[in-house]
Every structure is written in C-alpha cells, then in structure tokens.
C-alpha cells in the first residue's frame, strides 16, 4: 500500500494536534507540520513526495496561505486543500487558485478531512494525466 504523504500548514497548535490525530487514524503519513507560509515553502523544497498540503489561510509569518499556495505552485505541483475558519466571500474568491483542490471550514471532522484528501488526490490525478 502506498501511504499518502501530507504536509500540514497550520498556526494553531491545538488544531495541529487534532489534524495529526485524524491523519494518523486515516492511515496517512505526515511529512511535516509547519506554522508559516515561509516554512511551508521550505518543507516543499525539502520533501519531494508530498501528496497533499492541508493549509490554513491565516498563518503566522509574513505571507498568508493564499499567497503561499501561489508561490508553491510556481515551483511544485502539489494539490492544496484550504482549511480555514474564514468563509467570507472575499476569502473564498481569493482561494480559487489552480492548485487548490478543496476548501474546508473549521471545525474539521475526520471523515470530511479524509474525503477531501482523497478528492484532492483523485482530481489532481485526473487533471494531470
């Protein structure tokens, strides 16, 4: 079985713990957990086998999740699922990027997380085959 590898980009420590538990229960592998866009870009450069990035929109650091996704898409082809507490029309509109394959609002439930990860991977494969 090929375990899917997940990068978590989230600045809330409690949510990171919950995501980590859910991802392990869903039998995925976490390659890294980072708190900022800058660290997400570094992780993408360090790990070349990431299957999906779970990314919060509002992050620690100087760049938000939307800008981070744009920068990652310039050098890496990795599907991103946004996870955010901000469902304003402006945020949703700004998050409609080519490399974004899902958008979840908090709170996140394990089953929905698993469905979104699988959907992102399946759609990514379909769009890139």
């Amino acid at each position: 079985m090929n375990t899917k590898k997940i990068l978590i980009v989230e600045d809330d420590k409690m949510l990171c713990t919950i995501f980590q538990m859910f991802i392990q229960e869903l039998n995925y592998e976490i390659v890294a957990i980072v708190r900022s866009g800058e660290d997400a870009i570094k992780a993408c450069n360090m790990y070349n086998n990431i299957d999906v990035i779970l990314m919060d929109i509002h992050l620690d650091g100087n760049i938000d999740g939307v800008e981070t996704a744009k920068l990652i898409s310039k050098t890496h082809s990795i599907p991103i699922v946004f996870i955010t507490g901000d469902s304003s029309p402006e945020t949703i509109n700004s998050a409609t990027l080519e490399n974004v394959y899902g958008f979840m609002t908090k709170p996140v439930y394990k089953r929905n997380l698993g469905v979104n990860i699988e959907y992102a991977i399946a759609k990514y494969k379909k769009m890139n085959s």
Side-chain angles (χ1 to χ4, degrees):
M1 183 174 116
N2 187 11
T3 303
K4 294 168 182 108
K5 295 172 176 36
I6 312 294
L7 169 63
I8 300 173
V9 186
E10 170 64 62
D11 58 355
D12 183 307
K13 286 183 182 181
M14 177 127 92
L15 286 175
C16 283
T17 301
I18 292 167
F19 293 162
Q20 186 173 8
M21 180 182 67
F22 285 171
I23 288 167
Q24 289 169 341
E25 288 175 4
L26 291 164
N27 295 315
Y28 300 127
E29 179 183 332
I30 299 169
V31 294
I33 300 173
V34 297
R35 299 173 55 96
S36 70
E38 295 87 349
D39 287 340
I41 293 166
K42 288 177 190 171
C44 288
N45 292 331
M46 188 180 304
Y47 304 100
N48 61 2
N49 56 351
I50 299 168
D51 292 300
V52 173
I53 300 171
L54 301 178
M55 179 144 10
D56 189 8
I57 289 182
H58 302 290
L59 298 168
D60 286 347
N62 295 319
I63 54 176
D64 67 11
V66 172
E67 188 61 30
T68 302
K70 289 177 186 175
L71 293 169
I72 288 171
S73 73
K74 290 180 180 181
T75 55
H76 301 282
S77 182
I78 305 169
I80 294 172
V81 174
F82 280 126
I83 300 176
T84 184
D86 183 355
S87 60
S88 69
E90 297 81 19
T91 299
I92 293 169
N93 187 50
S94 71
T96 54
L97 306 171
E98 283 185 28
N99 59 333
V100 175
Y101 289 79
F103 188 98
M104 299 179 68
T105 55
K106 297 172 184 173
V108 173
Y109 300 96
K110 180 173 68 172
R111 178 165 162 50
N112 293 345
L113 182 62
V115 167
N116 271 271
I117 290 170
E118 291 300 321
Y119 176 83
I121 292 169
K123 185 171 183 182
Y124 174 80
K125 285 180 180 175
K126 188 173 188 174
M127 302 292 289
N128 292 283
S129 61

